[in-house]
Amino acid sequence: MDIVSLIKEKLFTDELPLEARLINVICLVGMGAASAALAVHILIMPSPHLIFTKLGIVFSCLFLLYVCNRFRLYTFGIWGTLVSLAFVFFPLSFFMLGGADGGMTAYFTLIIVCAFLFLHGRHRLLFLAPAIAALSACYFVAMRFPSLVRQMTPLEQALDNIQSFVIAGLFVSYVILFQGRVYLAEKKKAEDASSGLARAKDNLLHREKLLVALTDVAMSLLGTGTQVSADGMTKVLKTLALSIDADRVCFWKRNPQGGEWSFVPVFQWAGDRRPVKADVTVTALWRTAFGERRHVNGMTRVLPEDDRLFLEAGGILSSLAIPIFLRNRFEGFISFVDCRNERVFSEEEANIMQSGALMIAAVLQREAARRDLEAALEGAHAASRAKSEFLANMSHEIRTPLNAIFGMTTLAENSSDAARKDYCLKKIREASSHLLGVINDILDISKIEANKLELSCANFDFKTMLKKAITVSDFRIQEKHLNFTTHVGDDVPRALYGDDQRLAQVITNLLGNAVKFTPEYGAIELDVRLAGKEDGRYILRISVKDSGIGISGEQQSRLFHSFEQADNSTTRRFGGTGLGLAISRRIIEMMDGRIWIESELGKGATFVFTVKISGGAPVGETTRPLTEEADNFEGFHVLLAEDVEINREIVLALLEPTRLAIDCATDGAEAVAMFSGNPERYDMIFMDVQMPHMDGYEATRRIRALDAPRAGAVPIIAMTANVFREDVEKCLESGMNGHIGKPLEFRAILAQMRRYLRR
Ligand code: ADP
């Protein structure tokens, strides 16, 4: 850097205050002039006085320059300059350079100019008064004591005069020039400041516009109450887009069906541009930005090629895409595009648009939650209605057989005719088994609702299962003189592995319905076919076709739901709980199949279902910007633990024909005591579960823990009304060998006795 640039930068930069720069001018000019005069004096007529005076001026100027600029003591500089000019330099020059004869006028003019330049108001007066007094004093002293004034030679005088006029002239012209430059610089500064102010004002106005837009959006969204219409949302988006001068805005939601980074346009405002129709899958640029919660903002032409081509095809010159996160979950993004200008949206624009977008997202989420809630509420109401109707039906369904049981019991009691008593008992049995069916349905449906229905698989013979299922409806079929035909395809395998009881339950239910809803002399067809094989399992297709009352299309859609019946009057005409088909559907679904209806009102109905069942081991047909014939168990001894007296009586009476010897205990503790008193006496124990003092589980555990060889071997069979799978498992876990459900079926007890009581 040369000396001129250095002086400019250090002493005349625009950053310095005006007076600092003026002082620097004075000092430099003074120093320059004094140095020049010093040189002239040394060359032409060396005079120690003059050399001393000029040197003094040079050093004073240097000193002032240093102190003012180093310590920024500009006020000190001003006063230092003026005071040294008026009270040191001027008197010194006056007496050294020939007094009033010298170029003193020019020097004093310089002092006055400086006073006017630097000082204002009373400061100017405060300085000029003593300065003029000092000037007058110099003249007075010179007149009174002329010998004090050093007389100059004519050459010296001429030189000094020239010098003083040159200094004063140079200084004044310099000041004028300088003032001009300063004026221009200050003017530019002022202009810059005012254009900065204008820019700031524009920014403020723009920000205000953005905030007003945001407020409008908030008011529209909050004012929507419970629902946001598509029109309302478009308006909101338009407000946002116009506030940042965008041509189109679109709110994109994640579209999980399309993949992790696929988005579907939910709402948009496109002004007079083409609206967005298709889903988009964003590229890596967007993925990375959204993953880091950043905006994608800027001109299309600087984007990677893929993105550039895609946006250019839509005529987009600039775009702003803001990811939307609600409760830390990435919901989608909002995009603003400009098809007319290339630009980068400001940080402020992006932030305010983000706030707007968040509000929209929050409102949409609120909307979705409200819809879910309404649907759930509607569902709950519907379920509650269906359950109320179900309860009414159920009451009817339970009371009807109970009425039969009570009525027939009274009739039997009052009759001495054995045949009539038999008839009554038969009716009581029918009503009881109907009641049991209703209770089983309720239990099944409650299991389904608790998601606890499970299949219990074993090898079974298909034909045997089918026969059992048909046997249940046999009597009613005959009673109604129905033409019942069965067809089983030759290729249907017999040896299967699955839950035969549940499969039989479905067929029984469909057959039962067909019988119920088909008038006398009607026809029912049961058809079983092998529909294929898949994953090593057979697909069986089973259909039950009847010529009954049929079901309308509208009714069909409801039937497989719990508690639903084709119509309410059906209940009164035909009875039923409305649970059978729901249970059947669930069982069929658990067997990986499906069920459907083919029917028209008044034209009969066909219920068709498929199930997938594995092949099994043959078990043989049981022929027996089982007979109810009593076997003979004479000589065997059984311990019955049962707290309810009537239940004890029933077991004793049921088993009387078998000649079995039965000892009774009235609770678990008594059973343990009786067994431990004589373990070898008992061949088997029937154990109720719920008993006072000690339940059946505990009693079993204690018996098994006894120190007697028979304690571990004696078969213990639960006889309980707790019939769920987990109840059975609990019995087995406690050490029992088997389980018989209540109400007791003679055949079930007999089966266990045949199994364990062998000679
Ligand atoms: P339930 O028969 O105990 O009422 P289901 O679930 O088995 O319960 O049947 C529900 C309803 O479906 C019946 O009430 C009846 O309205 C209708 N339905 C079932 N099977 C038939 C059929 N074969 N013909 C006409 N309607 C039927």
Side-chain angles (χ1 to χ4, degrees):
M1 193 183 283
D2 60 60
I3 185 83
V4 178
S5 319
L6 191 77
I7 289 175
K8 265 190 183 168
E9 193 195 294
K10 294 283 177 205
L11 305 180
F12 297 106
T13 167
D14 288 348
E15 280 158 27
L16 286 176
L18 183 62
E19 64 264 32
R21 282 178 279 166
L22 282 172
I23 290 169
N24 291 341
V25 169
I26 293 173
C27 292
L28 281 180
V29 170
M31 212 163 72
S35 309
L38 188 65
V40 171
H41 280 296
I42 292 172
L43 283 176
I44 301 175
M45 47 196 157
S47 148
H49 303 91
L50 285 178
I51 291 173
F52 173 74
T53 312
K54 303 297 173 190
L55 266 178
I57 294 172
V58 170
F59 281 111
S60 307
C61 289
L62 261 178
F63 173 75
L64 275 175
L65 261 184
Y66 176 75
V67 170
C68 291
N69 292 294
R70 174 76 180 82
F71 303 107
R72 300 187 170 260
L73 296 173
Y74 302 114
T75 313
F76 166 78
I78 289 167
W79 283 101
T81 309
L82 291 175
V83 168
S84 52
L85 271 177
F87 303 104
V88 181
F89 173 71
F90 183 81
L92 213 63
S93 303
F94 188 90
F95 288 102
M96 298 291 293
L97 302 174
D101 296 337
M104 286 303 118
T105 327
Y107 286 133
F108 201 76
T109 310
L110 190 66
I111 290 171
I112 292 174
V113 169
C114 285
F116 272 84
L117 257 180
F118 292 127
L119 302 176
H120 307 279
R122 57 193 173 92
H123 286 125
R124 204 177 278 157
L125 210 64
L126 210 67
F127 169 72
L128 280 178
I132 291 170
L135 168 82
S136 310
C138 286
Y139 275 92
F140 177 76
V141 172
M143 279 188 297
R144 195 87 177 77
F145 309 102
S147 60
L148 287 179
V149 178
R150 180 182 163 267
Q151 291 308 318
M152 291 195 290
T153 64
L155 181 64
E156 274 182 345
Q157 199 166 13
L159 272 177
D160 191 59
N161 274 346
I162 292 169
Q163 181 192 330
S164 63
F165 286 121
V166 166
I167 288 183
L170 254 182
F171 179 73
V172 171
S173 348
Y174 214 94
V175 163
I176 290 169
L177 262 182
F178 192 70
Q179 282 281 51
R181 269 194 50 209
V182 166
Y183 167 74
L184 288 177
E186 293 298 314
K187 190 175 158 207
K188 187 167 176 306
K189 259 195 197 168
E191 277 171 4
D192 284 355
S194 89
S195 78
L197 212 66
R199 259 202 313 279
K201 193 175 157 202
D202 279 354
N203 281 346
L204 266 178
L205 284 176
H206 187 51
R207 179 189 287 185
E208 193 178 313
K209 190 172 150 194
L210 294 176
L211 289 174
V212 166
L214 195 66
T215 313
D216 281 355
V217 167
M219 304 243 289
S220 317
L221 291 176
L222 298 178
T224 51
T226 51
Q227 289 206 351
V228 194
S229 66
D231 275 359
M233 203 48 96
T234 310
K235 259 194 204 156
V236 162
L237 290 178
K238 180 181 173 184
T239 309
L240 286 179
L242 292 183
S243 75
I244 57 166
D245 217 12
D247 294 317
R248 192 175 61 211
V249 51
C250 184
F251 191 92
W252 302 84
K253 245 182 103 127
R254 287 180 72 184
N255 175 23
Q257 281 94 37
E260 200 196 346
W261 293 101
S262 165
F263 298 87
V264 53
V266 216
F267 294 108
Q268 61 180 307
W269 173 80
D272 50 6
R273 307 275 154 181
R274 204 156 19 103
V276 182
K277 292 231 171 74
D279 298 5
V280 292
T281 299
V282 296
T283 61
L285 175 82
W286 265 262
R287 292 174 193 188
T288 315
F290 291 167
E292 293 169 5
R293 300 185 172 214
R294 280 191 289 109
H295 310 156
V296 178
N297 180 6
M299 291 175 273
T300 303
R301 82 179 141 85
V302 300
L303 294 179
E305 193 176 356
D306 278 2
D307 301 301
R308 185 170 54 76
L309 293 178
F310 178 74
L311 293 180
E312 274 173 2
I316 297 167
L317 296 182
S318 319
S319 54
L320 168 68
I322 303 170
I324 296 164
F325 285 83
L326 277 185
R327 296 201 191 95
N328 266 336
R329 232 179 68 115
F330 178 47
E331 299 285 339
F333 70 99
I334 190 166
S335 66
F336 297 87
V337 302
D338 192 330
C339 303
R340 291 161 295 140
N341 306 302
E342 287 200 317
R343 63 163 158 161
V344 177
F345 293 83
S346 73
E347 196 59 22
E348 194 162 48
E349 288 174 330
N351 287 341
I352 291 183
M353 292 308 109
Q354 183 176 27
S355 307
L358 281 177
M359 269 190 247
I360 295 173
V363 165
L364 290 180
Q365 210 177 50
R366 183 190 73 187
E367 263 297 274
R370 184 188 59 77
R371 275 198 304 273
D372 287 353
L373 205 70
E374 271 178 15
L377 203 68
E378 180 47 38
H381 282 319
S384 152
R385 269 197 307 274
K387 282 197 178 170
S388 304
E389 282 167 21
F390 165 76
L391 275 184
N393 283 354
M394 212 45 69
S395 166
H396 174 264
E397 280 302 300
I398 292 172
R399 279 166 189 276
T400 307
L402 273 179
N403 185 46
I405 293 168
F406 277 112
M408 285 296 156
T409 313
T410 314
L411 279 184
E413 277 170 357
N414 295 339
S415 171
S416 49
D417 177 12
R420 192 168 175 78
K421 276 188 195 284
D422 277 354
Y423 173 81
C424 291
L425 288 173
K426 191 175 141 233
K427 288 291 164 191
I428 289 171
R429 166 171 269 285
E430 275 175 25
S432 306
S433 70
H434 180 76
L435 197 59
L436 184 63
V438 170
I439 289 168
N440 280 339
D441 274 2
I442 297 172
L443 292 180
D444 278 348
I445 209 74
S446 71
K447 276 192 203 174
I448 288 175
E449 297 228 319
N451 213 6
K452 283 202 167 157
L453 190 76
E454 281 173 25
L455 297 181
S456 163
C457 296
N459 288 316
F460 71 94
D461 181 79
F462 183 76
K463 277 215 166 141
T464 310
M465 181 280 303
L466 202 62
K467 264 188 205 162
K468 269 199 223 163
I470 295 170
T471 309
V472 179
S473 303
D474 231 8
F475 176 72
R476 294 272 295 142
I477 288 172
Q478 285 168 25
E479 202 179 48
K480 288 181 89 171
H481 310 288
L482 299 170
N483 178 10
F484 179 65
T485 50
T486 310
H487 171 264
V488 181
D490 291 338
D491 49 358
V492 174
R494 289 188 61 162
L496 295 172
Y497 179 82
D499 190 332
D500 60 329
Q501 291 202 9
R502 290 293 181 189
L503 188 60
Q505 185 178 348
V506 175
I507 298 171
T508 307
N509 179 41
L510 297 186
L511 274 180
N513 280 345
V515 172
K516 186 157 66 172
F517 296 107
T518 304
E520 284 191 351
Y521 300 101
I524 296 174
E525 288 171 35
L526 170 66
D527 183 85
V528 184
R529 293 178 205 177
L530 180 66
K533 214 173 171 188
E534 206 178 279
D535 311 327
R537 289 189 295 172
Y538 297 106
I539 304 174
L540 296 186
R541 182 189 183 280
I542 301 174
S543 65
V544 177
K545 182 176 177 184
D546 66 56
S547 61
I549 60 169
I551 313 162
S552 75
E554 185 271 324
Q555 291 166 341
Q556 288 174 24
S557 57
R558 292 188 287 119
L559 291 187
F560 295 105
H561 296 111
S562 314
F563 315 121
E564 293 286 358
Q565 294 180 322
D567 77 324
N568 273 345
S569 65
T570 325
T571 317
R572 281 185 288 275
R573 272 169 65 198
F574 298 100
T577 58
L579 296 178
L581 288 178
I583 296 169
S584 298
R585 187 183 76 159
R586 180 74 192 123
I587 293 172
I588 289 164
E589 282 172 356
M590 288 176 81
M591 295 182 181
D592 295 329
R594 62 188 196 92
I595 179 167
W596 67 95
I597 313 172
E598 293 161 5
S599 176
E600 267 181 64
L601 202 60
K603 294 193 179 166
T606 308
F607 283 78
V608 191
F609 71 92
T610 59
V611 283
K612 289 184 189 165
I613 301 191
S614 312
V619 285
E621 195 177 353
T622 326
T623 44
R624 200 167 59 170
L626 287 169
T627 63
E628 294 193 21
E629 198 180 295
D631 295 8
N632 187 350
F633 289 95
E634 195 168 359
F636 287 106
H637 225 108
V638 165
L639 174 62
L640 169 69
E642 166 66 67
D643 60 321
V644 181
E645 192 186 346
I646 187 162
N647 288 348
R648 286 199 297 273
E649 240 177 71
I650 288 171
V651 176
L652 291 177
L654 274 179
L655 297 184
E656 199 187 315
T658 66
R659 297 163 194 234
L660 191 69
I662 304 176
D663 290 347
C664 291
T666 56
D667 62 51
E670 200 179 325
V672 177
M674 286 171 71
F675 182 83
S676 61
N678 194 353
E680 295 304 324
R681 180 181 164 83
Y682 297 108
D683 301 295
M684 191 167 175
I685 301 174
F686 287 131
M687 182 74 81
D688 186 16
V689 167
Q690 285 188 19
M691 291 182 288
H693 309 306
M694 186 187 290
D695 65 29
Y697 305 126
E698 183 59 24
T700 304
R701 277 192 287 271
R702 296 217 181 176
I703 289 172
R704 293 292 184 219
L706 288 174
D707 185 20
R710 189 82 193 120
V714 63
I716 305 179
I717 308 295
M719 221 175 225
T720 170
N722 301 354
V723 291
F724 286 173
R725 172 189 280 265
E726 51 275 23
D727 299 317
V728 178
E729 280 166 6
K730 225 170 146 186
C731 292
L732 299 182
E733 271 167 27
S734 69
M736 300 192 207
N737 303 70
H739 176 279
I740 300 172
K742 284 178 184 169
L744 297 173
E745 276 191 43
F746 180 54
R747 280 185 298 171
I749 308 174
L750 212 55
Q752 297 287 358
M753 284 165 45
R754 280 178 187 149
R755 182 164 175 195
Y756 290 106
L757 301 183
R758 301 208 173 161
R759 291 185 201 280

